Amino acid sequence: MEELKKLISKDETKNIELKKSTGELREGMHTACAFLNSDGGVLVFGVTPSLSIVGQIVSESTRRDIAQALAGIEPAVTPVIEYVDIPDKDNHQVIVLRFNPWVYGNDPYTFHGRPYYRLESVTKAMPRDMFDARIRINMPHKYSWEMRVAEGYSIKDLDVSTIRGVVRLGVEEKRIPVGSLNESIKVILKKWNLLDGDNLRNAAVFLFSKRFSYDYEIRMARFRGTDKNYFIDNQQAHGNFFELLDAGMSFFFKHLSLSGEIKGFKREEHLDVPATALREALINALCHRDYDIYQCSIGIAIYDDRIEIESPGLLPRELTPKTIKRSHKSYPRNEIVATVLYQITYLEKWGSGIKRIMDACKAEGSPQPFWSEEGGYTVVTFPMNKLNGRIVTPNEPQNERQNEHQNEPQKRALTIESLIAENESISINAIAERLNAARITVRRDLKKLGYAWEGASKNGRWVKKEPTSTNS
């Protein structure tokens, strides 16, 4: 009883819902479904809106009604159910049901076919975009970007020499059978699940295409000083995975100091930040980015005091910028790509990439990197004590803030999409505040993204329609 009093002392919250009795069982199940699709929660029957603990008589019929109501939730759930006796009311009990949070990658929950989610202390019908996104996450074999057919591409558009080369590498490292050296390209692609019948999947094009495309890009800039006011070098590279990786590493070697030391009979080369750590971080960015987010790209930014590698898409739900440094399982967003890269030794499984990055920095005495989520991007930052062996003093501007301005609309669009997915009724003022932008800018971005307001000013919601093309 004391635990119950403490639980309800803060009234209803995002994780607590109070009902007077099981007469509100159906409404309670809407909230139960919302808890399961959000961060979990506790549903209590037997507490009035004024927080009076009244309880109810719990009969076998009551228990059957609860079980039958729970059966309306799919996938099936078995919450912890507790019956708390009320000392001064004979035969009266409070019913407490505890629900676990949604696990990233699982089916969204529904109650009698409808999904719900929790927004603060309010239970709401889940927006279609959020529901579809969770379905795609749960059924990557059917809906993911990498599984979809690459329209307009065929095997003749792939770089056969690259495919043969990486197969040979996988054979040498004993991750691919020796017999694969003599197999046809089509058979190799089928074994890697890169074909849908005779059609190439997006994963095949990303890994091995030799055709120029704007779909796969890296932005690279060397900024003077510690902000984006002025840059010394500004480049873009397009191509398949291997071409982008080579372009990114070449940019690092171009702008970072290369030093060497003699160990025994061998000279070891070192960058200001270990090349192995940068390469691992760039491979992770290329492999795990969210390719469903269009008009965005991976970015490399070198400042006087740090290097940042940003990749569209947030971390998996199971990880945060703080916990990612701990030992964790692997949560590949693009599993086919990750599997191919593992077999050709470009990637390791079991979530060990982060540890290898940190170990490489530690071995060479470099500061430890850290991860963050900014404007819909996952960013890994490598602090630097020095650049090219010295502290660089900001110089005269060599260009305007062009690169920063080019990237701002993309980041605003990602943040707007995320905010509306969380709250389809969010106001323009609230969006503007989160973006630190003007209302007119937010209105223009919403229009470009295809969002229109439907319903009354206070009880309406944002609905996505066809994006509006504009040069304004």
Side-chain angles (χ1 to χ4, degrees):
M1 181 56 66
E2 293 304 314
E3 183 183 353
L4 176 64
K5 289 179 180 178
K6 185 177 180 180
L7 178 70
I8 68 173
S9 62
K10 295 181 180 180
D11 204 347
E12 292 183 337
T13 66
K14 184 177 182 180
N15 305 103
I16 299 173
E17 178 83 359
L18 309 177
K19 299 294 183 185
K20 184 176 180 180
S21 73
T22 51
E24 301 176 272
L25 190 55
R26 186 176 182 85
E27 293 81 359
M29 290 302 104
H30 292 168
T31 299
C33 178
F35 285 151
L36 290 163
N37 281 325
S38 304
D39 297 322
V42 181
L43 176 60
V44 181
F45 293 99
V47 178
T48 68
S50 61
L51 304 186
S52 297
I53 300 175
V54 295
Q56 69 178 76
I57 296 175
V58 178
S59 63
E60 284 303 316
S61 176
T62 305
R63 294 173 186 264
R64 283 196 302 271
D65 289 343
I66 293 173
Q68 186 175 356
L70 288 170
I73 296 178
E74 293 182 344
V77 294
T78 53
V80 175
I81 305 178
E82 302 172 66
Y83 298 90
V84 183
D85 294 324
I86 301 179
D88 56 350
K89 297 186 71 173
D90 292 342
N91 300 322
H92 279 63
Q93 294 176 309
V94 173
I95 307 168
V96 181
L97 295 85
R98 300 178 185 270
F99 296 91
N100 294 324
W102 180 68
V103 176
Y104 182 89
N106 283 0
D107 271 335
Y109 288 88
T110 61
F111 178 66
H112 291 317
R114 295 199 64 184
Y116 299 87
Y117 77 114
R118 196 75 167 168
L119 184 63
E120 298 303 329
S121 61
V122 179
T123 294
K124 305 189 71 172
M126 183 179 288
R128 180 63 181 268
D129 288 350
M130 183 186 293
F131 184 79
D132 288 346
R134 295 193 179 190
I135 290 292
R136 287 196 300 270
I137 292 169
N138 182 55
M139 301 182 70
H141 60 285
K142 192 173 182 180
Y143 296 108
S144 69
W145 157 83
E146 61 178 356
M147 289 292 290
R148 294 197 288 270
V149 170
E151 301 292 342
Y153 284 86
S154 65
I155 291 179
K156 68 180 181 180
D157 295 310
L158 302 185
D159 189 333
V160 174
S161 62
T162 298
I163 297 174
R164 292 292 185 194
V166 296
V167 167
R168 189 175 301 109
L169 181 61
V171 169
E172 290 172 357
E173 296 296 327
K174 296 181 170 49
R175 293 187 181 181
I176 295 177
V178 176
S180 298
L181 292 171
N182 300 317
E183 290 176 334
S184 70
I185 295 297
K186 188 171 184 178
V187 169
I188 293 171
L189 296 175
K190 278 186 175 293
K191 286 187 174 181
W192 277 335
N193 201 18
L194 295 175
L195 290 180
D196 183 353
D198 292 330
N199 299 313
L200 293 179
R201 300 190 194 276
N202 281 334
V205 173
F206 168 63
L207 287 167
F208 302 117
S209 176
K210 62 184 179 182
R211 273 176 50 186
F212 178 86
S213 171
Y214 284 103
D215 291 337
Y216 309 116
E217 176 191 68
I218 290 184
R219 295 169 284 106
M220 299 168 286
R222 166 66 174 103
F223 294 100
R224 184 180 297 279
T226 59
D227 55 31
K228 293 183 178 179
N229 286 352
Y230 316 115
F231 57 77
I232 300 170
D233 193 2
N234 185 24
Q235 301 181 21
Q236 290 81 38
H238 302 85
N240 62 38
F241 166 85
F242 302 96
E243 292 168 333
L244 294 177
L245 179 60
D246 286 347
M249 293 307 298
S250 296
F251 194 78
F252 287 134
F253 277 92
K254 177 181 179 181
H255 289 287
L256 299 178
S257 174
L258 184 66
S259 60
E261 59 179 318
I262 304 297
K263 287 192 174 182
F265 294 99
K266 186 178 179 181
R267 176 181 172 85
E268 293 188 356
E269 304 288 354
H270 302 280
L271 292 178
D272 295 306
V273 172
T276 52
L278 293 172
R279 184 175 186 274
E280 186 73 32
L282 184 53
I283 288 174
N284 283 347
L286 289 164
C287 176
H288 301 309
R289 71 151 285 188
D290 188 343
Y291 288 95
D292 276 320
I293 302 177
Y294 298 107
Q295 298 179 336
C296 294
S297 57
I298 290 168
I300 294 174
I302 302 176
Y303 302 88
D304 287 359
D305 63 344
R306 69 193 186 281
I307 297 171
E308 293 179 354
I309 301 175
E310 62 177 20
S311 179
L314 303 179
L315 293 170
R317 188 181 177 91
E318 292 86 352
L319 299 175
T320 68
K322 290 184 178 180
T323 63
I324 194 172
K325 290 187 177 183
R326 304 172 192 164
S327 177
H328 60 268
K329 295 180 181 178
S330 178
Y331 304 103
R333 177 177 276 118
N334 304 303
E335 193 167 358
I336 296 176
V337 172
T339 298
V340 173
L341 295 180
Y342 168 76
Q343 290 190 355
I344 64 176
T345 73
Y346 275 72
L347 194 72
E348 295 296 332
K349 286 190 174 181
W350 314 119
S352 60
I354 303 301
K355 184 177 185 301
R356 287 198 304 279
I357 292 172
M358 296 169 63
D359 287 347
C361 292
K362 183 178 180 180
E364 296 194 17
S366 296
Q368 286 290 292
F370 60 88
W371 282 257
S372 59
E373 294 178 324
E374 302 173 14
Y377 284 74
T378 296
V379 183
V380 55
T381 301
F382 293 88
M384 293 189 294
N385 293 329
K386 57 185 179 180
L387 179 64
N388 299 332
R390 63 188 178 87
I391 301 297
V392 180
T393 303
N395 208 335
E396 292 300 315
Q398 298 196 9
N399 211 322
E400 297 299 322
R401 302 177 63 179
Q402 174 185 344
N403 198 69
E404 182 178 9
H405 289 322
Q406 288 176 343
N407 200 32
E408 282 177 357
Q410 298 175 357
K411 291 192 174 184
R412 285 203 312 270
L414 284 171
T415 303
I416 289 172
E417 294 273 14
S418 177
L419 290 172
I420 293 178
E422 293 177 3
N423 177 10
E424 61 184 347
S425 301
I426 189 170
S427 68
I428 289 181
N429 285 340
I431 296 175
E433 184 176 347
R434 290 288 296 273
L435 292 173
N436 193 25
R439 282 172 53 89
I440 189 171
T441 301
V442 173
R443 287 185 183 277
R444 184 172 63 246
D445 288 344
L446 287 165
K447 187 177 180 181
K448 286 182 179 179
L449 291 169
Y451 283 103
W453 184 265
E454 285 192 356
S457 58
K458 290 187 177 180
N459 300 318
R461 65 191 182 101
W462 292 105
V463 176
K464 193 165 189 178
K465 301 179 180 179
E466 289 300 321
T468 300
S469 176
T470 176
N471 296 319
S472 59

